[in-house]
Amino acid sequence: PLLRSMQAISTQALRILRLFGNTAAKKVIPQVGSEQEYFLVDREKYLKRRDLIYTGRTLFGAPSPKGQELEDQYFGVIRDRVGSFMADLNQELWKLGIPATTQHNEVAPAQHEMAPIYSMCNLAVDQNQLAMETMKRVATRHGLVCLLHEKPYAGVNGSGKHNNWSIGTDTGENLLDPGDTPNENMQFLLVLSCIMRAVDRHADLLRQSASCVGNEHRLGAQEAPPAIISIFLGDQLDDVVSQIVSNADSIKLLTSSGLDTGVSTVPVIKKDATDRNRTSPFAFTGNKFEFRMVGSSDSIADANTTLNAIVAESFCEAADELEKAADFDSACTKLIHDMMTEHQRIVFNGNGYSDEWVEEAARRGLPNIKSMVDAIPALTKPDVIALYEKFNIFTKAELESRAEVQYENYVSKIGIEAKCAIHMAGKHYIPAGIKFSSTLAQSYASVSAAGVDASVQKELLERVSALTKQAQDALSALITACDESDTIENAQELAQAYLHRVVPAMAALRAPVDELELIVD
């Protein structure tokens, strides 16, 4: 499917290039650079966490007194132990022909990132799969464990995989390079308007392509990027689009501002007009788009198959219209205007984390799909089936089976988490609460018998007993939710039951256990 999507976008992009007189290019190649975020933890500590072992994330755990508030680990030096891992990782990746060059700390404690040099799309997918396996293997040599789960720890940033996507010819021309005067670059503006149409039309499908069980904790209500698909263009391009939409007589380019430090020995630095909005799920970053929604543990194949397919469809429609035009220049200008006008709603340069954006997106009619389970139906919509069958990427039966597999995958992974939570709470946490309650009860009885104020012991005993009871009730509710959900045979309905019953029941069990952790000996 990935290779067929690459073939589709090449065929349709060449039709666009021929319209602009380019006869030298023989194919157009999607290029991808995949940043990979990950956590490193000490192996001995990891082996004491049943939840990390079975699920890749902590199902319980009160917040640490110090998380990422100071951001000191982000801007600090790389620790020697981690640096040794990174050096070893680079060597192993180079042996495999993977040109990894970038490595640094990330926002959360013990979180890091590596990034390879760009490769053609299918090669980048293979290299990323190899990189994830190599990271796990090399970490073990250093007494570490590499966690690729999207959200190993609640309360600090999770990990993603920034999928930097561009399209270029075999002669070296990047179709997403705006040049020094994008306002006068008709070919770039047509490509940009086609991508705007593709992303707006298939926002739900793009959201689905970045869906995996671990990513549930990053997207939507949790953290960046939001579950609402939008495009960030930067001030300069956004202004160009606005002028085109408003039918400006001449399109003027905003002048890039400069950074003056006020120090005579430091020159005024030209500010990048495409400076990235870190909250955007699909940001234009100079000569590429950075699709930031992909999960750290997930393959990038699905996201790139989707990107290639939806853009190929948009190119095809544009070529169909322009190839029969009597006056190409005027027809192209009108098409760019029409597409940008119709799909300008997908462009958003503001703060994607804000509540105001959620309200604004709803007003614009943009989908806000918060769960993987709700995103999966996009695969089998009639227009999506038509899209994939048109370019021979997927058949209807293949799309239906992929949807079925995703529902089952969701249920399987949440089921493992639920069973692990039931075991940990029932065998370890609740018994610990009972044991500590007994100790407090004995202390209360002894101190009271001595005629001394035992109000502290009484207050603690009542609090621990109440939380232990709350945990026991939540444990029973989780067991019931799992048992009753498992009687459902339909895959989609079963996934919905796990989403709306089992997942909340797990959260309800975690709350009192995490509170007990700060009290129980």
Side-chain angles (χ1 to χ4, degrees):
L2 176 65
L3 293 173
R4 290 196 288 264
S5 76
M6 292 173 64
Q7 183 173 301
I9 197 172
S10 177
T11 300
Q12 302 308 320
L14 283 175
R15 294 176 64 193
I16 298 293
L17 290 175
R18 298 290 185 260
L19 289 167
F20 285 94
N22 184 334
T23 57
K26 297 295 184 288
K27 61 179 178 179
V28 173
I29 308 161
Q31 302 280 341
V32 172
S34 55
E35 304 169 42
Q36 177 70 57
E37 294 176 342
Y38 60 95
F39 282 82
L40 289 177
V41 297
D42 185 89
R43 185 167 178 79
E44 288 187 14
K45 294 184 175 70
Y46 166 85
L47 292 173
K48 295 177 181 179
R49 292 294 310 214
R50 182 179 293 268
D51 46 4
L52 275 183
I53 293 170
Y54 284 112
T55 72
R57 74 181 183 101
T58 52
L59 302 176
F60 300 96
S64 168
K66 177 180 177 293
Q68 61 188 50
E69 298 87 349
L70 302 180
E71 296 187 348
D72 47 347
Q73 76 289 332
Y74 195 6
F75 301 106
V77 297
I78 296 173
R79 294 181 182 181
D80 289 345
R81 189 179 181 189
V82 174
S84 297
F85 160 81
M86 289 177 168
D88 197 3
L89 174 64
N90 283 343
Q91 292 280 354
E92 293 299 317
L93 291 176
W94 296 338
K95 290 178 186 177
L96 295 168
I98 301 173
T101 60
T102 305
Q103 55 198 27
H104 57 82
N105 294 336
E106 259 298 340
V107 177
Q111 187 186 30
H112 311 281
E113 181 180 283
M114 63 79 63
I117 292 175
Y118 289 79
S119 302
M120 60 189 293
C121 187
N122 59 310
L123 187 59
V125 171
D126 291 345
Q127 288 181 344
N128 183 252
Q129 291 296 121
L130 284 169
M132 290 192 287
E133 292 297 324
T134 306
M135 291 163 78
K136 293 178 182 178
R137 179 164 47 83
V138 172
T140 305
R141 294 184 199 166
H142 293 263
L144 300 166
V145 171
C146 176
L147 300 177
L148 294 176
H149 194 285
E150 286 72 19
K151 191 78 169 179
Y153 307 104
V156 297
N157 271 31
S159 296
K161 188 141 49 190
H162 298 178
N163 188 85
N164 295 279
W165 177 89
S166 64
I167 42 178
T169 67
D170 54 348
T171 57
E173 180 185 2
N174 185 345
L175 303 189
L176 291 178
D177 187 353
D180 294 330
T181 55
N183 53 317
E184 300 171 0
N185 189 337
M186 186 76 76
Q187 179 180 295
F188 168 75
L189 292 175
L190 178 61
V191 169
L192 177 63
S193 59
C194 284
I195 292 174
M196 286 173 59
R197 174 167 66 182
V199 173
D200 186 23
R201 179 186 289 168
H202 295 292
D204 55 348
L205 186 60
L206 260 186
R207 166 67 178 90
Q208 181 280 323
S209 75
S211 296
C212 66
V213 180
N215 228 9
E216 296 283 276
H217 304 282
R218 285 181 67 237
L219 306 179
Q222 299 296 325
E223 64 175 76
I228 304 166
I229 295 281
S230 64
I231 295 177
F232 169 84
L233 293 180
D235 293 340
Q236 223 175 36
L237 277 184
D238 186 45
D239 187 62
V240 168
V241 170
S242 296
Q243 290 181 64
I244 292 173
V245 169
S246 62
N247 285 311
D249 294 333
S250 61
I251 304 168
K252 299 177 181 178
L253 193 64
L254 281 178
T255 304
S256 297
S257 58
L259 174 64
D260 188 350
T261 63
V263 180
S264 60
T265 53
V266 178
V268 174
I269 302 166
K270 184 179 179 181
K271 184 181 177 183
D272 180 10
T274 63
D275 191 22
R276 290 183 293 181
N277 174 350
R278 302 301 296 174
T279 71
S280 174
F282 198 75
F284 183 74
T285 53
N287 58 5
K288 57 186 171 62
F289 277 99
E290 184 178 16
F291 186 32
R292 301 180 63 236
M293 295 180 89
V294 185
S296 52
S297 68
D298 205 7
S299 167
I300 58 174
D302 197 8
N304 286 295
T305 300
T306 303
L307 267 175
N308 296 339
I310 64 175
V311 175
E313 178 190 51
S314 193
F315 282 167
C316 179
E317 292 178 10
D320 286 346
E321 183 169 340
L322 294 175
E323 284 171 350
K324 61 187 179 184
D327 182 346
F328 171 74
D329 287 344
S330 59
C332 187
T333 300
K334 181 180 185 303
L335 180 60
I336 292 170
H337 168 269
D338 291 348
M339 285 195 291
M340 287 187 172
T341 301
E342 183 179 354
H343 302 287
Q344 189 182 21
R345 67 173 188 166
I346 200 69
V347 178
F348 177 68
N349 286 347
N351 179 10
Y353 298 162
S354 67
D355 293 335
E356 290 77 14
W357 168 231
V358 176
E359 296 171 5
E360 171 64 14
R363 187 187 66 78
R364 295 186 186 189
L366 299 178
N368 182 6
I369 306 171
K370 295 184 179 180
S371 170
M372 168 185 177
V373 177
D374 296 326
I376 295 172
L379 279 173
T380 52
K381 288 170 52 184
D383 62 325
V384 171
I385 293 172
L387 158 67
Y388 281 127
E389 289 191 331
K390 178 178 183 178
F391 297 113
N392 192 35
I393 296 171
F394 287 119
T395 65
K396 182 174 184 286
E398 286 172 329
L399 289 167
E400 289 172 345
S401 64
R402 288 174 83 87
E404 187 89 2
V405 167
Q406 289 203 21
Y407 286 129
E408 291 180 359
N409 193 28
Y410 181 85
V411 170
S412 296
K413 291 194 174 183
I414 296 298
I416 292 170
E417 289 189 355
K419 290 173 186 174
C420 188
I422 289 167
H423 177 102
M424 293 175 73
K427 189 173 180 180
H428 299 288
Y429 298 141
I430 292 173
I434 293 170
K435 183 178 179 181
F436 192 58
S437 296
S438 300
T439 302
L440 286 172
Q442 291 169 8
S443 174
Y444 173 70
S446 301
V447 173
S448 297
V452 182
D453 182 9
S455 59
V456 173
Q457 288 89 335
K458 182 181 179 183
E459 182 181 335
L460 271 177
L461 176 59
E462 289 174 347
R463 188 177 175 197
V464 171
S465 296
L467 287 170
T468 305
K469 175 67 165 60
Q470 185 181 338
Q472 180 60 46
D473 291 344
L475 175 61
S476 300
L478 175 57
I479 293 170
T480 300
C482 291
D483 290 344
E484 292 181 352
S485 297
D486 288 340
T487 61
I488 301 171
E489 294 184 1
N490 179 275
Q492 183 175 2
E493 293 175 6
L494 179 57
Q496 287 285 351
Y498 266 71
L499 172 64
H500 295 294
R501 291 201 60 190
V502 176
V503 171
M506 288 171 59
L509 175 57
R510 177 172 188 159
V513 170
D514 286 2
E515 199 170 340
L516 279 169
E517 184 186 330
L518 300 176
I519 308 169
V520 174
D521 186 19

